[in-house]
């Protein structure tokens, strides 16, 4: 992609309504535009990152054996009356009527819808276990939407639902989701800590939130600092192996880590004082086990081997995909702009031409562009007739992890400059070595 042809409406000034870093940089980098309170249009750069995150979530869900599908955003109120949640959910639910006077709602979550699909088609224990999920837009009518995509009213979310014959099977599904979430967040360059949490209106006996530590987090969190040393890495996990999945859960949840709703000062006091930490955290996902809470009310039953009909055990598992953009920026930025981790960057490398119109410089940039594209990488070539300072400022703001700078002086010596956005370190390399260096970095992901 060439910047002269791309739609990237960057702003030099910070909009007055932006209170936190991620909101400021998403607006300034031309990623989003507010449509109304808590609702945003996703412009090309923001949409590109959103799709990258969605792809990673899909890949890790499918790897764990979960099956994607898609539900409507509008739901019938009748299902919610069956579960008993329609009147109790509160003002966050956007209610409406269609032209026939039927009560409808814009989906804030989808337990009822998935349970209805299940009860309509599954009758036997032989069809279990089963986990279905979607990535779809949701709406919750926040009283005070703020902080951009971090606390908007409309948001893009992965929600999955497991259906199992027994509690033991459902808890394995819980553990399986925890493992898949650890892999998902690490691929995005995030450390998301699983913390014991409150179940809220969804309900459930077992629940963990995944929180990214950040000063702007909405939750106060208490944790043992040892947990920040844990990494899932590239270990191989058999998602059908109950013991392997349970071992990962034990490893990542045995140390104290709780949100303010479930914090227990007496238990926290048992953590060695030098390891006790209090901070703020951004919630980017949550997993629940809630047993037969919905299956009993909605009649989601299966026949057991002895012919009895029993309600299935269920869990719900969410990832805030749109919110993740804000969380990544809050965790990875500096005074110049965003610093995207390689796994989610909208473009793999930026190419800056210091003298647009110079025959040699133009040819070198075009050659770099074609070479990266041939390797399956996406470069963003700044071919605008702008000053070098302005080009560098744009690249720093939008946060591409690697930049190659091309100018007549360097080309005379047979080199281009390769700069790492995170460290600011630069080195001069022949163009073919610069290409090989960038390609090797992404080959490891």
């Amino acid at each position: 992609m060439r910047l002269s042809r791309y739609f990237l409406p960057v702003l030099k000034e910070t909009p007055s309504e932006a209170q936190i870093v991620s909101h400021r940089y998403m607006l300034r980098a031309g990623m989003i535009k507010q449509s109304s309170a808590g609702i945003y249009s996703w412009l090309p750069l923001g949409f590109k990152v959103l799709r990258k995150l969605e792809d990673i979530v899909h890949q890790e869900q499918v790897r764990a054996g979960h099956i994607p599908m898609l539900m409507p955003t509008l739901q019938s109120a009748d299902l919610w009356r069956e579960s008993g949640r329609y009147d109790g959910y509160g003002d966050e639910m956007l209610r409406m009527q269609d032209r026939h006077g039927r009560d409808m709602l814009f989906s804030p979550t989808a337990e009822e819808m998935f349970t209805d699909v299940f009860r309509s088609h599954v009758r036997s224990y032989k069809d279990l276990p089963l986990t279905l999920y979607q990535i779809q837009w949701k709406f919750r009518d926040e009283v005070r939407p703020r902080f951009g995509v971090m606390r908007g009213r409309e948001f893009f979310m992965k929600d999955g639902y497991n259906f199992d014959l027994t509690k033991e099977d459902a808890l394995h599904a819980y553990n399986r989701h925890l493992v898949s979430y650890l892999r998902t967040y690490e691929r995005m360059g995030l450390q998301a800590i699983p913390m014991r949490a409150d179940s809220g209106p969804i309900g459930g006996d077992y629940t963990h939130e995944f929180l990214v530590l950040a000063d702007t987090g909405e939750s106060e969190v208490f944790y043992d600092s040892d947990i920040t040393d844990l990494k899932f890495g590239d270990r191989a996990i058999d998602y059908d192996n109950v013991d392997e999945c349970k071992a990962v859960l034990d490893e990542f949840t045995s140390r104290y880590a709780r949100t303010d709703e479930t914090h227990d000062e007496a238990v926290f006091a048992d953590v060695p004082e030098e390891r006790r930490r209090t901070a703020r955290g951004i919630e980017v996902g949550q997993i629940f086990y809630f047993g037969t809470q919905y299956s009993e009310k909605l009649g989601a039953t299966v026949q057991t081997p002895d012919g009895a009909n029993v309600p299935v055990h269920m869990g719900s598992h969410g990832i805030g995909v749109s919110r993740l953009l804000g969380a990544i920026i809050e965790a990875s930025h500096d005074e110049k702009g965003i610093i995207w981790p390689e796994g989610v960057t909208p473009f793999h490398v930026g190419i800056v031409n210091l003298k647009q119109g110079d025959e040699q410089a133009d040819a070198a940039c075009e050659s770099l562009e074609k070479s990266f594209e041939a390797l399956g990488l996406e470069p963003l070539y700044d071919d605008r007739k702008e000053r070098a300072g302005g080009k560098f400022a744009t690249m720093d703001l939008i946060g591409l992890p690697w930049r190659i700078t091309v100018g007549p002086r360097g080309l005379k010596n047979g080199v281009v400059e390769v700069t790492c956005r995170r460290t600011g370190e630069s080195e001069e390399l022949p163009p073919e070595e610069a290409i090989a260096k960038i390609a090797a970095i992404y080959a490891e992901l």
Side-chain angles (χ1 to χ4, degrees):
M1 178 58 67
R2 298 198 176 189
L3 202 46
S4 62
R5 302 174 190 169
Y6 197 55
F7 181 59
L8 187 68
V10 297
L11 305 174
K12 291 184 179 179
E13 303 298 326
T14 299
S16 57
E17 72 270 21
Q19 299 176 331
I20 61 172
V21 168
S22 58
H23 194 192
R24 289 199 298 269
Y25 282 154
M26 289 185 77
L27 289 170
R28 285 196 54 213
M31 298 180 71
I32 56 173
K33 180 185 182 300
Q34 181 170 304
S35 173
S36 60
I39 301 175
Y40 293 88
S41 298
W42 289 79
L43 307 184
L45 193 72
F47 183 63
K48 197 170 179 60
V49 180
L50 189 68
R51 283 288 174 248
K52 289 272 183 94
L53 299 179
E54 182 185 8
D55 287 346
I56 291 173
V57 173
H58 273 305
Q59 289 162 13
E60 293 304 327
Q61 287 301 297
V62 171
R63 186 199 297 263
H66 307 156
I67 304 167
M69 56 183 294
L70 191 64
M71 291 292 193
T73 56
L74 293 182
Q75 300 183 15
S76 167
D78 292 342
L79 273 176
W80 285 69
R81 290 191 176 106
E82 275 193 72
S83 71
R85 287 208 299 171
Y86 184 69
D87 294 322
Y89 198 88
D91 291 338
E92 284 189 357
M93 181 187 287
L94 182 62
R95 297 164 169 87
M96 66 204 80
Q97 288 188 333
D98 66 14
R99 60 169 42 180
H100 302 291
R102 291 179 293 231
D103 291 328
M104 308 288 289
L105 58 100
F106 196 117
S107 173
T109 183
E111 282 80 7
E112 285 82 359
M113 287 287 288
F114 274 83
T115 307
D116 181 52
V117 167
F118 178 88
R119 72 180 179 181
S120 300
H121 299 285
V122 180
R123 296 284 183 270
S124 170
Y125 75 95
K126 295 177 182 178
D127 296 319
L128 303 180
L130 180 65
T131 295
L132 304 172
Y133 79 93
Q134 66 169 344
I135 301 179
Q136 177 63 292
W137 291 98
K138 304 287 193 302
F139 189 92
R140 293 177 190 165
D141 202 0
E142 291 273 357
V143 177
R144 292 185 214 52
R146 54 200 173 118
F147 303 155
V149 301
M150 297 285 288
R151 196 167 179 177
R153 294 193 295 166
E154 185 183 56
F155 53 96
F156 200 46
M157 180 181 174
K158 173 261 163 181
D159 51 330
Y161 304 88
N162 65 282
F163 303 88
D164 290 279
L165 184 61
T166 67
K167 179 177 180 178
E168 291 71 28
D169 293 340
L171 290 180
H172 173 56
Y174 185 97
N175 299 345
R176 192 173 65 239
H177 277 85
L178 182 135
V179 175
S180 70
Y181 279 23
L182 291 172
R183 286 186 57 92
T184 298
Y185 296 126
E186 285 194 14
R187 283 187 60 188
M188 295 173 180
L190 286 172
Q191 181 176 45
I193 302 171
M195 299 192 176
R196 186 177 297 182
D198 181 63
S199 60
I202 291 178
D205 299 327
Y206 297 76
T207 178
H208 282 86
E209 284 180 351
F210 291 79
L211 288 104
V212 174
L213 301 179
D215 292 338
T216 51
E218 72 271 52
S219 301
E220 187 175 16
V221 297
F222 304 82
Y223 64 97
D224 180 337
S225 63
D226 270 6
I227 203 168
T228 57
D229 295 328
L230 297 177
K231 297 288 185 294
F232 187 83
D234 58 358
R235 68 180 87 175
I237 290 288
D238 178 358
Y239 282 103
D240 292 327
N241 188 306
V242 172
D243 292 336
E244 280 190 28
C245 292
K246 178 66 163 56
V248 175
L249 176 125
D250 290 342
E251 178 186 352
F252 280 83
T253 63
S254 59
R255 295 160 181 82
Y256 191 95
R258 299 193 185 189
T259 60
D260 47 3
E261 294 97 338
T262 59
H263 176 55
D264 186 324
E265 196 63 47
V267 179
F268 192 46
D270 292 336
V271 177
E273 186 175 359
E274 68 276 10
R275 298 199 332 240
R276 285 182 224 150
R277 298 287 187 276
T278 352
R280 307 295 299 180
I282 300 167
E283 182 201 339
V284 291
Q286 191 162 3
I287 57 177
F288 303 85
Y289 161 72
F290 43 64
T292 58
Q293 176 179 334
Y294 292 95
S295 55
E296 287 181 353
K297 291 177 180 177
L298 294 171
T301 62
V302 294
Q303 192 173 64
T304 64
D306 59 8
N309 279 315
V310 297
V312 292
H313 287 255
M314 292 176 58
S316 171
H317 316 276
I319 291 180
V321 181
S322 53
R323 167 178 271 239
L324 275 167
L325 270 84
I328 291 169
I329 294 170
E330 292 293 331
S332 186
H333 67 271
D334 61 15
E335 70 283 354
K336 296 178 182 178
I338 302 164
I339 305 173
W340 291 115
E342 279 86 355
V344 299
T345 180
F347 295 94
H348 297 103
V349 60
I351 301 171
V352 172
N353 190 339
L354 292 180
K355 193 171 183 181
Q356 195 68 38
D358 178 88
E359 186 175 345
Q360 190 180 13
D362 290 356
C365 288
E366 289 171 13
S367 176
L368 286 168
E369 181 184 31
K370 290 177 181 176
S371 296
F372 282 121
E373 289 172 346
L375 292 169
L377 299 177
E378 293 184 279
L380 179 64
Y381 171 23
D382 191 345
D383 61 336
R384 300 171 300 161
K385 293 186 177 179
E386 298 281 347
R387 292 186 308 159
K391 291 187 174 187
F392 291 148
T394 297
M395 285 293 175
D396 286 340
L397 175 62
I398 66 175
L400 306 188
W402 295 93
R403 185 185 77 219
I404 296 181
T405 305
V406 180
R409 184 180 302 174
L411 290 175
K412 285 181 182 177
N413 297 320
V415 296
V416 294
E417 184 181 68
V418 179
T419 303
C420 173
R421 174 71 180 87
R422 185 169 298 279
T423 65
E425 295 176 356
S426 298
E427 63 177 323
E428 292 187 335
L429 295 171
E432 60 276 11
E433 290 185 23
I435 294 166
K437 178 183 177 73
I438 302 297
I441 289 166
Y442 286 104
E444 294 178 358
L445 297 181

